[in-house]
Amino acid sequence: MRLVGERVSLAVGGSTVELYWMDTGVLEDAAHFACAYRSLSRGRQRKVDAFLFMKDKKLSLGAGLLLRQGLAAHGIDEQEAVIAYGENGKPYLPDYPDVHFNLSHSGGMAVAVFADTAVGCDVERIEAADLPLARQFFSEGEYRYLAGLPAGQQRDAAFYRLWTLKESFVKTIGAGLALPLDAFEIVIMAGESGGKHEQIEVRQNVDPAARYLFGEYCFGGYSVSVCLHCNRYRKKCE
């Protein structure tokens, strides 16, 4: 049985982001779990051990396997890599400043993203939209956008789309819980001349001069968003 994830290349502006994902159900078998666990660094093993429930252990292990796979594509051995953490817990590679990554998991799915500039990702299993939660945590504009959509599948997808877009931005800037979700706004606009390709921008005051671009991917009932910080690569992102 394969214990590695699927991969897709996402075009985000002029940059390419590598997105990996894995259904952690493949780790249900104890032998497969043990084999995968032994293949990872002691640091990742400690993260897996810290969880009480097997569901969460599998998600952490799956994220570690995707991290190993993505690092290997850059010639980096996960067992040897030094991973440091920013002020709010965002991981980075001090020995490889041009290799950026981020991890996320939800339900039974783990994802990892790799880019050559600051990047964040979030995955959520699409369920029923929670308008009271949106009212509490989203901006006023985002709430109005959701409330104006028909109840059901369209609103459900939009809720988790906004949620993952917002979380990917927070993770890109490394703010963690220090930045409330209603302190910035994701705006989804129709493409030029009413085209099908929507434009997504973030309105924020954390760093008004910074530019962020977004990529999205959906599979198997999950919504994934990727956010890329583009200031270092302004020409590439235009």
Side-chain angles (χ1 to χ4, degrees):
M1 179 178 290
R2 295 180 63 201
L3 291 179
V4 295
E6 304 294 333
R7 185 182 78 168
V8 65
S9 295
L10 296 179
V12 181
S15 296
T16 299
V17 176
E18 299 299 325
L19 175 68
Y20 297 78
W21 74 92
M22 176 184 185
D23 184 341
T24 59
V26 300
L27 298 171
E28 194 68 38
D29 180 84
H32 289 134
F33 184 96
C35 179
Y37 179 89
R38 290 193 299 268
S39 73
L40 297 180
S41 65
R42 186 64 192 121
R44 174 52 60 172
Q45 290 175 355
R46 284 193 293 268
K47 287 182 177 294
V48 174
D49 294 340
F51 289 100
L52 177 63
F53 299 107
M54 181 54 67
K55 172 181 178 293
D56 299 316
K57 289 179 181 291
K58 289 190 300 181
L59 287 170
S60 180
L61 181 57
L65 291 174
L66 296 179
L67 175 61
R68 183 189 69 179
Q69 186 177 1
L71 290 178
H74 289 85
I76 304 170
D77 186 342
E78 187 271 340
Q79 291 190 333
E80 301 295 330
V82 175
I83 298 179
Y85 295 87
E87 180 180 354
N88 294 302
K90 184 178 181 179
Y92 66 96
L93 300 163
D95 296 331
Y96 301 92
D98 292 327
V99 179
H100 300 259
F101 74 93
N102 202 233
L103 308 174
S104 182
H105 47 71
S106 172
M109 194 69 62
V111 301
V113 65
F114 292 81
D116 58 0
T117 187
V119 67
C121 69
D122 189 56
V123 58
E124 298 292 340
R125 182 164 56 189
I126 300 174
E127 299 177 342
D130 190 335
L131 278 183
L133 189 68
R135 168 62 86 181
Q136 181 178 2
F137 290 107
F138 286 8
S139 72
E140 183 62 31
E142 292 164 344
Y143 177 79
R144 288 197 306 268
Y145 171 76
L146 281 176
L149 295 174
Q153 185 176 7
Q154 186 176 356
R155 183 185 290 171
D156 297 343
F159 175 85
Y160 285 97
R161 184 185 186 190
L162 276 175
W163 189 278
T164 58
L165 287 168
K166 291 175 75 67
E167 287 287 354
S168 69
F169 169 71
V170 170
K171 295 176 74 175
T172 297
I173 65 175
L177 298 176
L179 181 66
L181 289 180
D182 61 356
F184 62 96
E185 183 172 350
I186 297 293
V187 180
I188 301 174
M189 301 169 290
E192 294 182 3
S193 302
K196 293 183 179 180
H197 297 291
E198 294 172 318
Q199 298 178 3
I200 303 171
E201 68 176 44
V202 56
R203 296 174 181 171
Q204 48 85 27
N205 293 316
V206 179
D207 184 359
R211 187 181 180 198
Y212 299 90
L213 295 180
F214 296 89
E216 300 176 277
Y217 197 74
C218 293
F219 54 86
Y222 288 83
S223 178
V224 180
S225 292
V226 172
C227 177
L228 197 67
H229 179 212
C230 283
N231 274 29
R232 289 178 54 200
Y233 302 91
R234 184 175 299 276
K235 291 184 178 179
K236 290 176 61 178
C237 294
E238 291 176 349

